[in-house]
């Protein structure tokens, strides 16, 4: 697991700037629908990743994680922290396309085609698999495997079953690294999604915050209250660190 509070590397500003330039900022619901339609019809193995404050902090201290994020085919903005960063840089942040909301829509869009869930562990994985098969994609064949295998095992499963959508729920940085490896070995069109805790959400392990917290960008407070020990480093230490780095980047850009 990455420690985003570790010392910055000398070129963290370059890493942030490169990824910020790569992030697709969707400005309207109509554009969001067009993006969803495009993502649901891959023409080659492709990776979809999400950039949030934790990802940006992690990139500041880890070159391999930065390279995995930068190699993704599509990167979307996730969370209010990223909106704040874009505004500091005098850039329109666009819609918040977080994976927790977008991935279930993607799963539904792939209904009728093969789907793979790779991540977390039972009973949450089994519950997520059942929910996807019963509710989100009832016409799909859905395979699943826990999130603690090596990348070769996932590659073998994908090569055998050829799912059109592969959802990885392993957390950063592992899922981004596994995604890059899968894209490198698979030989058919598919979308590989770096989904964070999405399989836990689908399986009922992690409940969603009330709607008003989601709309105000404070769902992280709800998650921290539920899992203070696991998320203390990410939010209590990580959020002020992210804002400090954001201010430093914005200051340099203004000069």
């Amino acid at each position: 697991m990455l420690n985003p509070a570790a010392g910055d590397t000398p070129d963290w500003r370059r890493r942030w700037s490169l990824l910020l330039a790569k992030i697709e900022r969707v400005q309207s619901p109509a554009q969001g629908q067009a993006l969803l339609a495009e993502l649901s019809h891959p023409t080659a193995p492709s990776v979809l990743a999400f950039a949030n404050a934790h990802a940006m902090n992690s990139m500041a201290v880890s070159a391999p994680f930065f390279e995995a994020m930068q190699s993704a085919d599509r990167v979307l903005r996730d969370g209010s922290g990223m909106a704040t960063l874009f505004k500091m840089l005098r850039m329109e942040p666009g819609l918040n396309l977080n994976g927790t909301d977008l991935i279930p829509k993607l799963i539904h869009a792939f209904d009728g085609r093969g789907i793979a869930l790779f991540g977390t562990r039972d009973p949450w994985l089994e519950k997520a698999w059942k929910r996807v098969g019963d509710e989100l994609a009832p016409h799909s064949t859905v395979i699943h495997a826990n999130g603690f295998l090596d990348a070769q095992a996932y590659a073998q499963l994908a090569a055998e079953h050829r799912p059109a959508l592969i959802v990885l729920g392993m957390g950063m940085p592992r899922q981004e690294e596994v995604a890059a490896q899968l894209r490198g070995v698979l030989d058919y069109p598919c979308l590989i999604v770096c989904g964070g805790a999405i399989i836990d959400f689908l399986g009922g392990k992690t409940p969603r915050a009330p709607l008003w917290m989601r709309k105000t960008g404070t769902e992280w407070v709800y998650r921290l209250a539920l899992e203070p020990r696991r998320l203390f480093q990410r939010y209590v230490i990580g959020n002020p660190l992210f804002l400090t780095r954001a201010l430093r980047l914005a200051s340099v850009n203004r000069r």
Side-chain angles (χ1 to χ4, degrees):
M1 181 179 295
L2 294 174
N3 178 7
D8 293 351
T9 58
D11 66 343
W12 73 268
R13 292 186 185 88
R14 181 187 67 86
R15 295 178 187 174
W16 275 37
S17 297
L18 287 172
L19 193 77
L20 287 171
K22 186 182 182 72
I23 293 172
E24 298 181 45
R25 290 171 288 135
V26 175
Q27 303 299 335
S28 70
Q31 290 181 11
Q33 288 298 318
L35 173 68
L36 185 65
E38 187 177 346
L39 289 171
S40 63
H41 291 89
T43 58
S46 57
V47 174
L48 171 64
F50 297 87
N52 55 25
H54 179 60
M56 301 301 285
N57 277 339
S58 298
M59 286 196 322
V61 299
S62 171
F65 179 63
F66 163 70
E67 290 162 5
M69 287 291 292
Q70 188 68 8
S71 73
D73 298 278
R74 316 287 290 265
V75 182
L76 301 178
R77 175 181 80 79
D78 179 354
S80 57
M82 293 299 292
T84 299
L85 173 57
F86 276 115
K87 289 174 182 177
M88 285 182 177
L89 298 173
R90 299 175 183 176
M91 301 167 69
E92 177 57 47
L95 301 179
N96 179 19
L97 296 178
N98 66 85
T100 311
D101 290 324
L102 182 64
I103 294 172
K105 296 176 183 177
L106 271 173
I107 292 173
H108 182 67
F110 276 84
D111 188 22
R113 290 171 283 170
I115 296 173
L117 304 178
F118 296 153
T120 196
R121 65 174 83 231
D122 287 333
W124 319 115
L125 175 59
E126 187 77 14
K127 291 180 178 180
W129 170 75
K130 189 173 189 309
R131 182 179 174 192
V132 169
D134 289 348
E135 301 175 22
L136 297 177
H139 303 102
S140 291
T141 298
V142 184
I143 65 168
H144 60 294
N146 72 63
F148 304 94
L149 309 178
D150 58 40
Q152 182 59 34
Y154 301 122
Q156 290 175 350
L157 284 168
E160 178 182 353
H161 296 277
R162 299 174 72 85
L165 175 66
I166 300 173
V167 179
L168 303 179
M170 305 164 185
M172 297 176 179
R174 185 162 187 259
Q175 63 192 11
E176 287 75 17
E177 295 167 354
V178 170
Q181 293 177 64
L182 287 176
R183 184 187 53 195
V185 299
L186 297 179
D187 61 357
Y188 68 94
C190 61
L191 179 66
I192 306 162
V193 181
C194 300
I198 185 60
I199 301 177
D200 284 331
F201 280 116
L202 292 173
K205 178 182 179 182
T206 305
R208 293 299 305 273
L211 185 59
W212 69 267
M213 297 188 79
R214 294 183 235 167
K215 289 183 175 180
T216 56
T218 56
E219 186 167 14
W220 68 270
V221 178
Y222 182 82
R223 294 191 63 193
L224 178 62
L226 290 178
E227 300 181 89
R229 179 174 298 181
R230 187 176 75 85
L231 297 177
F232 181 88
Q233 185 76 32
R234 175 180 297 192
Y235 292 133
V236 178
I237 303 298
N239 282 357
L241 184 61
F242 170 80
L243 289 174
T244 299
R245 287 172 174 147
L247 286 167
R248 289 167 63 189
L249 183 65
S251 176
V252 169
N253 282 12
R254 282 196 293 271
R255 291 201 300 268

